[in-house]
Amino acid sequence: MVKVAVVEGDGIGREVVPAARDILAAVRPDIEFFDVDLGYGLWERTGCACGEETVADLGSADAILFGAVTTPPDPGYRSVMLQIRHALDLYANVRPIRGDTVDVVIVRENTEGLYSGIEWTEPDRSCTVRVVSRRGSERIARYACTLAKSRRHHLTVGNKANVLKSDCLFVEVCTAVAAHLGVPCTARYIDALSLDLLMHPDRYDVIVTTNMFGDILSDAAAYLVGGLGMLPSANIGERAALFEPVHGSAPDIAGRNVANPIAAIRSGAMLLRHVGDPASAAAVEEAVVRVLRAGIRTRDIGGTAGTREFGAAVLREVGRGKA
């Protein structure tokens, strides 16, 4: 029995997660789902977006299917995602960029960098500490190298070591780990890398980088496959794993049945692989491809289908594959 916590969260998370959940239930009827409420909407109602008991509930699951949460620019609001990543030590953020001519995975250190949560405000300035530790760099480098060895056997280290001295440590550690594990490795400055990835994605296999750089780079790379509505992601730790679409809560389109559920559905496929069911994961991914080839698309990728209609189409394809 696989136990999966389901977090719809805010905004379009409440539309795309149900589509992904239905598909997971179709391919794995043995999954035990349980709902967890958190996010900005909960904060507005109760003053707490995510308490310790909520984090404990998430940690009790074999995996977490996560929608999206709104993070307002309010100094009194603590980012839910940062809280969960730190509490469950979800140190590796894995974002595959896959399309007809693109197959790149961006591995982002998920607990340090500018998202370390060490911040304060003074009368005339606000400060955020950028943390890059040897331990954090070593374990994300090992994860990325292990992934590269299962793919095309090359690692690129995205950095800005010519300006940020904290990145000197990151590059040093990543290249040393890659050499130890026998993975060819190239260090590239993040600004040049961002352009080159968009122009020549075929040159890249696995890219490892620090927290904010990975966040920005993966969002930009979404251009290669049709936008943020297409990108799934995984947040991996030693004892917990959370799977979520890369896109945010998009409150401007929430409740309108126009959000693209592909990223959430593909995140569900990543979840299936994580719990040891690659066959079901492949079935879900293939169903998405067949639906797209049939011309069923949401508005953001040139179609007219709604969130519910696209999810239902994938669900039908999954059912045909099982028949």
Side-chain angles (χ1 to χ4, degrees), residues 12-71:
I12 61 171
R14 297 190 173 275
E15 298 172 77
V16 297
V17 166
R21 176 179 180 161
D22 288 348
I23 291 163
L24 287 179
V27 297
R28 285 292 301 269
D30 62 317
I31 290 178
E32 177 187 336
F33 296 100
F34 67 96
D35 295 318
V36 177
D37 187 19
L38 56 78
Y40 182 61
L42 181 64
W43 182 74
E44 287 186 306
R45 297 193 306 271
T46 69
C48 178
C50 182
E52 292 182 4
E53 289 185 6
T54 302
V55 173
D57 287 341
L58 295 175
S60 72
D62 297 305
I64 304 160
L65 179 64
F66 199 94
V69 287
T70 298
T71 303

Side-chain angles (χ1 to χ4, degrees), residues 30-323:
D30 62 317
I31 290 178
E32 177 187 336
F33 296 100
F34 67 96
D35 295 318
V36 177
D37 187 19
L38 56 78
Y40 182 61
L42 181 64
W43 182 74
E44 287 186 306
R45 297 193 306 271
T46 69
C48 178
C50 182
E52 292 182 4
E53 289 185 6
T54 302
V55 173
D57 287 341
L58 295 175
S60 72
D62 297 305
I64 304 160
L65 179 64
F66 199 94
V69 287
T70 298
T71 303
D74 183 330
Y77 185 88
R78 183 183 181 190
S79 168
V80 169
M81 281 311 303
L82 292 188
Q83 180 183 354
I84 293 170
R85 287 170 182 167
H86 290 154
L88 301 181
D89 198 24
L90 304 175
Y91 70 90
N93 185 276
V94 184
R95 296 185 170 187
I97 319 294
R98 291 198 181 98
D100 292 338
T101 59
V102 182
D103 184 8
V104 178
V105 181
I106 297 172
V107 177
R108 162 189 170 201
E109 201 293 317
N110 213 24
T111 61
E112 298 185 340
L114 279 171
Y115 296 169
S116 62
I118 304 173
E119 299 183 282
W120 67 92
T121 300
E122 300 173 4
D124 297 314
R125 64 176 184 173
S126 293
C127 303
T128 299
V129 175
R130 186 177 195 265
V131 177
V132 177
S133 72
R134 184 172 297 276
R135 174 179 177 269
S137 301
E138 284 180 346
R139 65 178 182 172
I140 198 64
R142 287 185 178 277
Y143 188 98
C145 285
T146 300
L147 182 59
K149 290 176 79 169
S150 71
R151 289 171 44 87
R152 299 194 303 277
H153 215 76
H154 186 267
L155 182 70
T156 303
V157 184
N159 70 94
K160 196 62 178 170
N162 56 330
V163 175
L164 299 171
K165 298 314 173 188
S166 52
D167 263 12
C168 294
L169 175 63
F170 186 75
V171 174
E172 172 198 327
V173 171
C174 288
T175 52
V177 169
H180 177 71
L181 296 178
V183 177
C185 176
T186 304
R188 295 291 307 271
Y189 292 143
I190 197 69
D191 43 2
L193 172 60
S194 299
L195 177 61
D196 201 51
L197 175 61
L198 294 181
M199 294 179 66
H200 306 287
D202 56 298
R203 294 178 178 175
Y204 298 95
D205 179 20
V206 176
I207 299 171
V208 65
T209 188
T210 51
N211 210 328
M212 179 174 277
F213 288 160
D215 194 3
I216 295 170
L217 184 65
S218 56
D219 281 11
Y223 165 81
L224 296 168
V225 293
L228 289 175
M230 306 293 285
L231 293 191
S233 75
N235 298 264
I236 305 294
E238 297 296 337
R239 295 177 299 278
L242 181 152
F243 301 85
E244 62 170 337
V246 168
H247 62 68
S249 61
D252 56 321
I253 62 169
R256 293 169 51 190
N257 193 40
V258 298
N260 187 343
I262 290 178
I265 294 168
R266 285 178 167 166
S267 295
M270 294 182 76
L271 184 157
L272 289 169
R273 275 203 172 79
H274 178 76
V275 299
D277 192 354
S280 293
V284 171
E285 290 165 347
E286 290 162 8
V288 170
V289 170
R290 288 196 299 272
V291 169
L292 290 172
R293 287 177 178 168
I296 302 172
R297 298 169 181 266
T298 49
R299 296 182 190 182
D300 59 311
I301 50 176
T304 59
T307 310
R308 291 188 295 273
E309 291 73 24
F310 189 93
V314 176
L315 191 58
R316 287 194 299 272
E317 283 299 323
V318 166
R320 290 192 184 104
K322 293 179 66 178

